[in-house]
Amino acid sequence: MNRNNRFTIIILIISTIVLLAACGGNTASTKKTVEKKTNSGQSDKKSAFQGKITLSTTKAEVNSPVHFKINGLNPNQETTLTWGTVEGKYDYDGLYKFIGVSLKDKVLPLTTGKSSSAGELEGDFNVPSGYGGNHTIYVNQDDKLIAQTNIHINPTFKISPASGPIGTEITITAEGIGYDVMERNWQLTYDNKLTGLITAITTDGKAVAKLRASGPVGDHTLTVWHGYLGIPYVNHEQAPTSYLPVPKFNFTVTEEKPDLNNYVEKVPTGADGGVQMPELKNNDGVKVSLDKSSGVVGENVKMTAKGLPKNKNVKIIFNTMRGSRVSGNGFGEKKIDLFSVNTDDQGSFTKDFPVPDDLGGIPHRIDLQVDGKTYGQTYLSITPSIVKISPSSGPPGTPITIEIKGVGWTEYDNTFDITYDNAYFGYVCGFNTAGSVTVNMIASGEPGYHIIDFYPGIYRGKQLQPDIYLAPQLTYQQDHPGSGIPAIRMGFEVINP
């Protein structure tokens, strides 16, 4: 055998080993062991710990009862059992770049007891609320680790309500969603149409997903899949994560008249309170306030300021962004003269002004300048609004124009992902057009009311796996990174030609 052939065979063997390891799907953690060689040359594996804990089950769900038995403890001594888990959060690079998800280990108290004179302890606990996936149970006496074992927690899902007319809000709640890359990405389909993404990063494994029922009248199937690539892994029984459930629910669309109103939902709070904005800088004695912290384009806002130079003209500067992250020309901060006003002999003023027609998303800083010097600052957010949807009805094939304002510009708030009858078909971006978006689409389907929903999504980030980008985030109300972005609810009535 020549040298090149030997090298090729070695590479093939290494590749096979790597492939088998990748496809094995064994994600369970194992207990530390030490390996001791006997006289016969055989390996004799022994636990690295003094004691041993056994559980009544190695797989469970949140709140499931579990019985444990521990041997090898120090006798007649207080014994503590703790629960190893993680805490999840979203990370950012500055204000506008999205990095991804980070996890930090944490340990929670589980139960305590006193060992017997024989060094044994037996008892029960319920699986704590929180993340699913693999968890380690630690056994300690006098702050010394005596034993440990692992248990895997699968998620559970529920749906409510089970019936209602077209447009009914459907809520899917989950507990015990995993933290591992292969276990934390979940997708919902409605009648085998991909609707959107379910996440539970900053909500400790708990998810609350929202969508609306779509027709026709009758039964419809909702399925919750898992897939780290961002789409359902359909042959999940053959996947490395085949141990995860794929729950299915029925929803019955009833004949009552649907709600035909178009609306923007109440603005939620961003995950973990949203991205942290820079601290405002105000000169000593200067106070600047707005009667509302956010509003839609054109909405009236009242500004009140005190402690400024007396009888001076104040320029109000609105800071925003302009440019594009995809054209190659870049983007940067732009300052817009919002209005000017004169202070009184107390250095104060009150002034009404309309919310600028500009980008939504994270708040805009407003500077108060006198003779080119900034004396005070405040923040104002622009929230999404519906300008029009026209027409509101027509036969199949009717062109529909939708216009919205207040779309953001950062990597986590500059897109909305659109569904038509709970089928995801594309996204819109508002950065290039200063927050204004116009959508041209074609009406389709049988006669009746068809729902059109705009969901918050994440445009892009540094995290590669799992793929959470350019997908309607159905858990937007509690787990959307950076900014609190509402869903936009609309519809179109298809009529007979």
Side-chain angles (χ1 to χ4, degrees):
M1 182 183 296
N2 62 39
R3 181 179 180 182
N4 287 337
N5 287 339
R6 287 198 303 271
F7 181 76
T8 300
I9 290 172
I10 291 171
I11 293 298
L12 286 172
I13 291 172
I14 294 173
S15 300
T16 302
I17 293 171
V18 171
L19 182 61
L20 288 172
C23 296
N26 182 10
T27 61
S29 299
T30 56
K31 188 163 51 175
K32 293 182 188 176
T33 60
V34 293
E35 193 168 272
K36 178 182 177 182
K37 293 289 185 178
T38 64
N39 292 333
S40 62
Q42 298 295 318
S43 295
D44 181 20
K45 292 184 178 180
K46 292 186 177 180
S47 172
F49 303 109
Q50 169 185 326
K52 179 181 180 181
I53 176 172
T54 56
L55 305 177
S56 58
T57 181
T58 58
K59 299 180 184 298
E61 298 171 350
V62 169
N63 294 323
S64 294
V66 178
H67 185 77
F68 67 88
K69 185 174 183 179
I70 312 171
N71 297 312
L73 296 169
N74 297 317
N76 303 313
Q77 192 169 325
E78 284 297 317
T79 306
T80 302
L81 278 69
T82 54
W83 181 264
T85 184
V86 299
E87 182 177 338
K89 70 183 186 73
Y90 292 115
D91 291 329
Y92 316 93
D93 181 0
L95 289 179
Y96 62 87
K97 288 186 178 181
F98 179 70
I99 295 177
V101 173
S102 65
L103 302 169
K104 181 174 68 174
D105 290 336
K106 68 177 182 179
V107 177
L108 303 175
L110 194 57
T111 188
T112 60
K114 189 173 183 179
S115 59
S116 69
S117 58
E120 297 178 347
L121 179 64
E122 194 168 353
D124 301 277
F125 64 85
N126 289 334
V127 172
S129 176
Y131 272 109
N134 282 319
H135 295 270
T136 302
I137 297 171
Y138 302 100
V139 180
N140 286 272
Q141 291 183 316
D142 283 339
D143 295 326
K144 179 183 177 183
L145 184 60
I146 303 296
Q148 71 180 47
T149 191
N150 286 85
I151 186 171
H152 187 274
I153 308 304
N154 263 354
T156 57
F157 295 83
K158 297 179 181 178
I159 185 173
S160 179
S163 64
I166 293 172
T168 298
E169 183 177 83
I170 302 172
T171 300
I172 293 178
T173 56
E175 280 196 291
I177 288 181
Y179 56 86
D180 186 76
V181 167
M182 297 291 287
E183 296 188 17
R184 69 173 181 248
N185 234 32
W186 295 77
Q187 299 84 31
L188 176 73
T189 59
Y190 189 100
D191 288 342
N192 293 324
K193 299 173 292 187
L194 178 60
T195 303
L197 176 68
I198 296 175
T199 63
I201 300 303
T202 62
T203 51
D204 201 24
K206 306 175 187 69
V208 179
K210 302 282 188 177
L211 69 153
R212 295 194 299 164
S214 61
V217 170
D219 291 339
H220 298 266
T221 300
L222 288 78
T223 306
V224 183
W225 305 83
H226 45 86
Y228 81 101
L229 293 177
I231 56 176
Y233 196 146
V234 177
N235 64 323
H236 61 94
E237 298 92 344
Q238 299 166 309
T241 52
S242 59
Y243 52 86
L244 293 174
V246 177
K248 297 174 176 61
F249 304 99
N250 285 331
F251 184 91
T252 303
V253 172
T254 57
E255 294 182 352
E256 294 96 327
K257 184 178 179 180
D259 182 358
L260 303 181
N261 292 315
N262 302 317
Y263 60 96
V264 178
E265 289 186 343
K266 181 181 177 181
V267 177
T269 301
D272 278 339
V275 69
Q276 296 300 306
M277 299 297 295
E279 186 177 353
L280 294 170
K281 298 177 180 178
N282 291 291
N283 284 12
D284 290 344
V286 174
K287 295 181 179 180
V288 183
S289 63
L290 303 175
D291 67 342
K292 58 189 61 141
S293 59
S294 64
V296 301
V297 170
E299 184 177 355
N300 190 67
V301 181
K302 180 179 290 186
M303 177 183 288
T304 301
K306 299 177 180 179
L308 297 167
K310 302 173 182 178
N311 301 310
K312 284 285 191 175
N313 183 262
V314 183
K315 286 187 176 181
I316 312 301
I317 309 298
F318 184 78
N319 295 278
T320 186
M321 300 295 290
R322 288 292 184 269
S324 170
R325 58 171 52 88
V326 296
S327 66
N329 296 324
F331 58 91
E333 190 173 49
K334 180 178 177 63
K335 297 181 179 296
I336 298 174
D337 290 340
L338 199 58
F339 62 86
S340 63
V341 62
N342 291 326
T343 60
D344 59 20
D345 55 8
Q346 300 297 317
S348 304
F349 74 83
T350 298
K351 175 75 173 178
D352 291 349
F353 66 96
V355 173
D357 188 353
D358 214 299
L359 292 161
I362 62 174
H364 295 265
R365 192 184 75 250
I366 298 177
D367 297 331
L368 282 65
Q369 294 184 352
V370 177
D371 295 333
K373 179 181 177 181
T374 298
Y375 281 82
Q377 297 177 329
T378 189
Y379 280 125
L380 176 66
S381 297
I382 300 176
T383 56
S385 59
I386 302 171
V387 178
K388 71 174 182 179
I389 173 169
S390 180
S392 59
S393 64
T398 298
I400 307 170
T401 299
I402 299 172
E403 185 179 352
I404 61 175
K405 288 186 179 293
V407 180
W409 65 276
T410 73
E411 291 183 343
Y412 45 81
D413 63 20
N414 76 321
T415 60
F416 274 102
D417 302 305
I418 310 174
T419 63
Y420 187 95
D421 284 344
N422 287 320
Y424 174 43
F425 75 93
Y427 76 97
V428 297
C429 173
F431 192 9
N432 295 341
T433 50
S436 294
V437 164
T438 300
V439 175
N440 293 299
M441 57 188 296
I442 302 297
S444 63
E446 298 296 320
Y449 190 67
H450 297 262
I451 64 170
I452 303 170
D453 289 329
F454 284 50
Y455 287 100
I458 307 170
Y459 174 59
R460 72 179 184 189
K462 293 183 179 180
Q463 170 187 304
L464 299 180
Q465 295 179 351
D467 188 343
I468 57 175
Y469 306 115
L470 295 178
Q473 189 179 18
L474 305 181
T475 45
Y476 62 93
Q477 288 188 339
Q478 297 180 355
D479 199 38
H480 183 72
S483 298
I485 307 294
I488 303 175
R489 309 298 196 182
M490 292 174 281
F492 183 88
E493 188 173 9
V494 172
I495 59 176
N496 288 314

